[in-house]
Amino acid sequence: MTATGSATQIVWNLGDGQSVTCTNPGEAYQASFGNAQPPCGHTYTTVSVSQPGGRYAINATATWVVNWQATTGQTGQITVTRRSASSVVIGELRDLNN
């Protein structure tokens, strides 16, 4: 069997009451981005000290579409949802002028 999947949506709940929905997996930050907000980004506006454990709880729900083909020639497509969790400490905020 062969299966190929791609993320079609990721919903990020960012722990500060905000959420961001992305239609692709995104890309890793690079220094060349500077202070620019990425297309599917988020900026925290309050430090996390008042949160449980001093951290913002982050939850991501990813929706994947998986196309498969069996060795018998049968094919199909399934949608799979996966969730993951993490947290982040925001200890200092800066106002940056562009």
Side-chain angles (χ1 to χ4, degrees):
M1 173 185 264
T2 302
T4 305
S6 59
T8 58
Q9 174 178 284
I10 302 174
V11 178
W12 297 90
N13 290 305
L14 298 155
D16 63 350
Q18 301 295 311
S19 67
V20 175
T21 300
C22 305
T23 57
N24 62 46
E27 64 182 286
Y29 175 79
Q30 297 175 33
S32 63
F33 295 166
N35 298 331
Q37 177 85 5
C40 192
H42 176 69
T43 301
Y44 286 94
T45 59
T46 307
V47 296
S48 60
V49 68
S50 65
Q51 300 300 308
R55 306 174 77 82
Y56 284 116
I58 301 172
N59 294 288
T61 303
T63 302
W64 290 75
V65 173
V66 180
N67 295 299
W68 59 269
Q69 181 174 9
T71 56
T72 62
Q74 292 176 305
T75 63
Q77 184 179 78
I78 59 173
T79 300
V80 180
T81 302
R82 294 288 180 254
R83 292 179 178 83
S84 63
S86 189
S87 63
V88 64
V89 173
I90 305 296
E92 179 180 345
L93 300 170
R94 294 181 184 199
D95 184 15
L96 300 174
N97 296 320
N98 292 331

